[in-house]
Amino acid sequence: MSSSSTVENHSSEAAALVDQAIEGRQSIRAFTDKPVPRALIEEILAVASRAPSGANTQPWKTYVLQGAVKDSLIDKVCAAHDALRADRSLADEYTEAFDYYPRTWVSPFIDRRRENGWGLYGLLGLERGNKDGMHAQHQRNFRYFGAPVGLMFTVNTVMGSGSLMDYGGFLQSIMIAARARGLDTCPQAAWNSYGKIILPHIGAGPDEMIVCGMALGYADESALVNTFRTPRVPVSDFTVWLG
């Protein structure tokens, strides 16, 4: 076999492995309690730290929550989530540091959101109007879907909106590195409204704000919810070819 053929085969194999990790990633909503070794978490974060950032600012900061510290945060945020449901006037106490979703939804984004929501709820047998069931399902976010590791990400408030773009690459790198090692994840913006509870709990400084949380662990392969796969529009729908 020629050297060029060897290089081509190696490149093809490498591409297949990378593609497999990317395409195999999905938002897992039920995990086993199998522990994740600290060394493996550190390895994933070290790989992800190679994500690009403007002027190499590396704006990310990661908190790894396990055991009693994680369970205590879960209790606090779930209590706040229940209280907010009971008294909507508390909404002003729980606000995001930045708008993750648009303030006004338009098509096609609202259509995709509805398709996603009702596809998931339909799979779980949660019919429209089942507020108790939807509340319980939403609260599973704040239980990290049973994952043994909860990640919380912050950014310094001095940074600009470009750092949130940089953060996207870092988060994706974590998820792909985890998948390549047989682990699964679920990125969670649901935590963002509870910064006033989360930040002091994790020991964050006054100059930090929540970017998002993430569940990390091993998927429960027997869970029905993990059969849910979101669709993607074809390349032709989001690409404009010029020249």
Side-chain angles (χ1 to χ4, degrees):
M1 182 180 293
S2 68
S3 60
S4 61
S5 297
T6 301
V7 170
E8 289 175 2
N9 288 338
H10 176 74
S11 298
S12 179
E13 292 172 1
L17 290 172
V18 173
D19 291 353
Q20 183 178 14
I22 294 173
E23 294 175 353
R25 185 219 63 82
Q26 68 181 89
S27 294
I28 293 298
R29 294 178 174 86
F31 291 82
T32 71
D33 59 2
K34 180 180 178 180
V36 182
R38 174 170 176 163
L40 185 53
I41 300 172
E42 290 181 341
E43 183 179 302
I44 290 168
L45 293 175
V47 171
S49 73
R50 296 304 307 174
S53 59
N56 198 32
T57 51
Q58 305 172 68
W60 36 78
K61 186 169 184 178
T62 306
Y63 294 85
V64 182
L65 289 78
Q66 297 172 285
V69 175
K70 175 172 69 73
D71 293 342
S72 178
L73 178 63
I74 287 172
D75 290 343
K76 291 177 183 178
V77 176
C78 284
H81 186 235
D82 287 339
L84 182 57
R85 185 194 181 197
D87 182 1
R88 295 304 302 176
S89 68
L90 297 175
D92 289 342
E93 294 187 28
Y94 303 109
T95 57
E96 299 177 321
F98 63 94
D99 290 332
Y100 182 82
Y101 291 111
R103 296 188 179 185
T104 302
W105 286 90
V106 298
S107 184
F109 312 112
I110 185 62
D111 308 314
R112 295 170 185 166
R113 183 190 189 195
R114 287 169 176 162
E115 178 185 34
N116 181 74
W118 291 115
L120 175 61
Y121 291 143
L123 178 67
L124 298 175
L126 297 174
E127 298 179 355
R128 188 186 300 270
N130 184 351
K131 295 182 180 180
D132 289 342
M134 292 181 182
H135 178 78
Q137 178 59 33
H138 190 243
Q139 192 166 101
R140 286 187 54 74
N141 274 283
F142 308 126
R143 301 183 185 281
Y144 282 111
F145 298 110
V149 180
L151 303 176
M152 201 63 66
F153 302 97
T154 70
V155 68
N156 194 297
T157 54
V158 75
M159 303 304 285
S161 57
S163 289
L164 295 178
M165 294 176 58
D166 297 338
Y167 232 115
F170 176 64
L171 296 171
Q172 173 76 342
S173 296
I174 290 175
M175 292 185 280
I176 298 310
R179 183 82 287 275
R181 290 162 175 78
L183 287 152
D184 290 283
T185 55
C186 186
Q188 302 165 284
W191 294 96
N192 292 18
S193 297
Y194 297 94
K196 64 179 293 184
I197 297 173
I198 298 167
L199 292 169
H201 183 88
I202 62 179
D207 58 351
E208 293 177 61
M209 72 175 188
I210 297 294
V211 174
C212 69
M214 184 184 292
L216 173 69
Y218 297 93
D220 180 352
E221 302 293 348
S222 67
L224 176 64
V225 70
N226 287 338
T227 66
F228 182 66
R229 293 279 289 179
T230 52
R232 293 293 185 271
V233 299
V235 172
S236 58
D237 280 17
F238 60 81
T239 306
V240 178
W241 300 90
L242 303 171

